[in-house]
Amino acid sequence: MATQGGGRHINAQRVYRAYGKDGWDLLENYANMDPPDEFSENGCWLSISFWAAELLRAMHRAGSLERLYRLRDGQNMELEEGLSILDGFFGVPYEQLKRSLDLMAERCKSSIPPGIEDDTPATCIAICDWMRSQGFGPAEGDRYLAIQNHFIHKVLESRNSLPLTLVAVFVAIARRLGLDARPVSFPAHVHAWVRVKEHIPNEDEEQQHVSIDVYHSATQPILTSADLDPILHAMGTTAQQHPELLAPASTETMVTRAARNVANSLRHGGRVAIPDSPWRYWTVITACYAMVTTITFLSPAHQADHFFDLAMHVKERIRHVFPLDIAIVVELTIMPSLGLLEQEPKRIFQNIIDLTKQAEDPPLRTPTRRDPDSNVKYFVGLVVAMSGSDVDYMGVITGWNTDGSYTTTDDGIPSSPSNPIYQITYTTTAWTNPRDSQTRFELQSKVRAFSVSESSSDTSYYPPPPATQGWGLYLVMKSIVWDLGRLFRSAVNGKRGHLWFLPTDDLAMQYPDDVSVGMSFLNGTVKQEDALSRGTGIAKD
């Protein structure tokens, strides 16, 4: 399953059906496995790690859909568990979030001043004070629209967030401390509703609870009707509507609001606030995936239209970015839920499933290296550098072509036997602030094999080259190419400081001579004249 595409779809389903959640720990061990101490052509640790992580994330997303079904069907669910539906699309299980919140509540409890346990407003203020002492606070300026603010696991890392997610953290802590705390989906921004513990006469309805503004807790943690009623009046609501707008909201309502907030961030530039990294594209696609799926299942009105939007999103993006989701999420989880009104989305989903299975058996390429006129110097998996107009780039070769079907990125020159063009996933060599990884098509004349020695003189690069040759370069490339293990199975150090990622069986079948040529190149055993006479086109640097 790790190095061959054939049967991967079926094998992933077998693992999912056979082990389910019981297989999480094993998959996590494989996903987080360390590379070997010394790189070699043996093994497939890179592919195993990648596909284990992909299967694990697909299973977590399927788990999110199962919780989404339960929420849609009216099952009671804690706010944190409901919101964890969105986090599950990032491969974060609810159990992980729950453990983090349990630990936070224990720490918060130890900081509560003695003697205020029965004073609900004082306890709520103490919780807010503790949260701020741990760095939790409002996201401001450009950070307000950041996509990360809508996902609890990201908020637990960054600590700065929006009213809804800050309230979710507050509610999670407060409920663990014995308070009846719930969210209020107030139109302006979300706040918390907490039932007071003290005995209050029934006629004093407003005194039966306290409203907590977690977002502005540093200046005004307690909200009263004098604060909230004018806002509602200004929005054109009537006094009769106020009790409903000020009442605790259901988890379904809050999860729907969170998903719509994601959509708002995506529309208004929230992706810009994501730190520069090759994971930016992955983060945006994942957030969109979570948003579209959640809105589809929690919006009964026009649901057939929503399913159609989800199907098109899967067809255009998801099947390329999340290769195992078609087997686990689409075929085993979404398809059985579709009814008579969703026949068109069902047809699209089935078409996607068929295309995915067909793609597992790619057609063989003509081995053009053996063409006497071929001048292909490099090979798939080699880490290379490219000379740009104002900055140098580095990347890994993921394909090459000599028949004219590739054209250069900048000026559109077609490939030919005498002018091979390489497909390269790349970033700048300014590793301290890597850009999103992208794909370029470059002429051979602008490409050179990158050596570890090129980075060893400047210790400001990240990560700094370690003592083990090739490790630093491997870590850099893994941070650049997020799906490195999808194409390559392991890594090999060259005698002259080069690094080569050995292609998986699928990729090697498309470039049938590249493995033998790559081994010769890295070992320095092929001279230029010998390579040309054998039709490999490999030249010794």
Side-chain angles (χ1 to χ4, degrees):
M1 177 176 166
T3 63
Q4 291 183 328
R8 184 176 287 137
H9 185 97
I10 300 299
N11 288 333
Q13 291 180 339
R14 285 174 178 166
V15 173
Y16 178 63
R17 286 182 171 126
Y19 298 102
K21 289 185 178 181
D22 293 336
W24 284 5
D25 290 342
L26 180 61
L27 286 172
E28 191 166 357
N29 289 337
Y30 280 124
N32 297 322
M33 66 188 299
D34 292 325
D37 293 335
E38 294 185 7
F39 292 157
S40 74
E41 66 273 19
N42 299 319
C44 50
W45 50 270
L46 194 55
S47 290
I48 290 175
S49 176
F50 173 79
W51 287 109
E54 282 301 305
L55 181 54
L56 187 62
R57 283 192 284 260
M59 291 168 68
H60 288 323
R61 285 188 280 271
S64 278
L65 275 170
E66 290 169 1
R67 292 196 297 280
L68 196 55
Y69 294 154
R70 289 194 280 117
L71 189 63
R72 178 195 62 183
D73 294 340
Q75 180 174 324
N76 289 331
M77 189 177 292
E78 292 284 348
L79 176 62
E80 65 193 63
E81 184 177 3
L83 291 177
S84 76
I85 290 169
L86 299 173
D87 296 86
F89 282 82
F90 283 85
V92 179
Y94 170 54
E95 291 79 1
Q96 177 181 325
L97 294 177
K98 188 175 183 297
R99 286 194 299 269
S100 297
L101 293 168
D102 287 343
L103 181 59
M104 289 178 59
E106 285 297 320
R107 292 174 177 171
C108 180
K109 182 178 181 179
S110 65
S111 74
I112 301 292
I116 68 168
E117 294 83 357
D118 293 327
D119 186 340
T120 301
T123 302
C124 290
I125 292 174
I127 294 173
C128 289
D129 291 344
W130 181 84
M131 286 179 61
R132 290 200 313 280
S133 75
Q134 301 302 303
F136 287 98
E140 298 174 331
D142 292 342
R143 297 291 306 174
Y144 189 84
L145 288 172
I147 292 172
Q148 304 96 301
N149 295 339
H150 309 293
F151 300 90
I152 298 293
H153 76 284
K154 290 293 186 183
V155 173
L156 295 181
E157 294 174 2
S158 69
R159 303 297 172 102
N160 294 322
S161 190
L162 305 178
L164 193 158
T165 39
L166 288 176
V167 165
V169 174
F170 171 88
V171 167
I173 294 173
R175 292 181 70 83
R176 284 166 170 79
L177 298 188
L179 296 176
D180 180 7
R182 289 176 265 173
V184 175
S185 189
F186 191 71
H189 72 249
V190 176
H191 62 260
W193 180 103
V194 185
R195 188 184 303 277
V196 298
K197 289 184 175 182
E198 302 79 15
H199 175 72
I200 304 293
N202 290 335
E203 58 268 18
D204 297 328
E205 183 63 31
E206 187 178 347
Q207 302 303 314
Q208 297 291 328
H209 73 273
V210 60
S211 297
I212 303 297
D213 187 348
V214 185
Y215 191 75
H216 294 120
S217 64
T219 56
Q220 188 182 3
I222 304 293
L223 297 172
T224 67
S225 58
D227 302 310
L228 300 172
D229 287 344
I231 298 174
L232 294 176
H233 282 303
M235 299 178 69
T237 62
T238 64
Q240 290 74 22
Q241 294 174 302
H242 290 191
E244 180 181 354
L245 295 172
L246 295 173
S250 68
T251 296
E252 180 179 350
T253 296
M254 300 309 301
V255 173
T256 302
R257 180 164 177 168
R260 296 193 185 282
N261 286 346
V262 174
N264 185 60
S265 282
L266 290 168
R267 280 194 302 268
H268 295 94
R271 69 191 68 189
V272 176
I274 301 173
D276 285 338
S277 78
W279 293 85
R280 173 184 284 183
Y281 175 76
W282 187 89
T283 299
V284 171
I285 294 298
T286 306
C288 190
Y289 188 12
M291 176 269 294
V292 172
T293 306
T294 301
I295 290 176
T296 295
F297 283 94
L298 295 185
S299 301
H302 310 294
Q303 193 166 60
D305 293 336
H306 287 302
F307 268 115
F308 181 81
D309 291 342
L310 175 60
M312 294 307 296
H313 183 66
V314 171
K315 180 180 180 180
E316 298 298 328
R317 298 179 182 89
I318 298 307
R319 70 188 183 97
H320 302 293
V321 181
F322 306 106
L324 295 184
D325 276 44
I326 306 306
I328 306 300
V329 177
V330 174
E331 187 167 12
L332 296 186
T333 314
I334 293 179
M335 286 283 279
S337 73
L338 298 180
L340 295 176
L341 296 178
E342 290 89 34
Q343 289 305 302
E344 180 60 17
K346 192 170 186 177
R347 185 191 63 79
I348 297 174
F349 280 131
Q350 186 59 56
N351 179 253
I352 294 168
I353 293 168
D354 295 341
L355 287 174
T356 301
K357 291 179 179 178
Q358 293 170 13
E360 291 182 348
D361 297 307
L364 289 177
R365 285 170 46 95
T366 302
T368 51
R369 279 188 182 278
R370 300 174 188 175
D371 186 333
D373 296 326
S374 173
N375 185 35
V376 180
K377 183 178 181 181
Y378 301 123
F379 40 90
V380 291
L382 182 65
V383 176
V384 295
M386 300 160 282
S387 299
S389 56
D390 56 353
V391 66
D392 284 343
Y393 299 85
M394 64 174 295
V396 59
I397 295 174
T398 54
W400 53 262
N401 183 271
T402 60
D403 65 9
S405 55
Y406 281 2
T407 58
T408 56
T409 296
D410 293 330
D411 45 26
I413 299 174
S415 58
S416 67
S418 59
N419 278 307
I421 289 179
Y422 296 95
Q423 176 179 300
I424 301 169
T425 300
Y426 78 100
T427 188
T428 69
T429 52
W431 301 338
T432 52
N433 185 26
R435 299 179 183 177
D436 291 4
S437 61
Q438 303 173 57
T439 298
R440 287 183 67 86
F441 294 89
E442 287 287 3
L443 287 169
Q444 184 167 275
S445 58
K446 293 186 176 181
V447 176
R448 69 180 187 278
F450 188 85
S451 171
V452 157
S453 62
E454 296 187 42
S455 63
S456 60
S457 61
D458 189 344
T459 58
S460 67
Y461 285 151
Y462 178 81
T468 305
Q469 186 186 60
W471 257 80
L473 195 52
Y474 157 72
L475 292 172
V476 170
M477 294 311 303
K478 194 170 187 299
S479 71
I480 292 171
V481 188
W482 67 269
D483 59 346
L484 197 63
R486 190 174 185 172
L487 298 173
F488 307 108
R489 60 183 179 87
S490 61
V492 179
N493 288 318
K495 290 184 176 180
R496 297 182 299 278
H498 303 302
L499 182 65
W500 175 40
F501 292 101
L502 274 77
T504 61
D505 293 349
D506 292 340
L507 189 60
M509 288 173 64
Q510 296 180 56
Y511 300 90
D513 294 325
D514 278 29
V515 172
S516 59
V517 168
M519 291 302 301
S520 298
F521 178 83
L522 261 68
N523 292 330
T525 58
V526 179
K527 295 182 180 180
Q528 182 174 3
E529 58 272 19
D530 292 339
L532 291 175
S533 67
R534 282 152 51 180
T536 63
I538 285 292
K540 183 177 178 180
D541 280 1

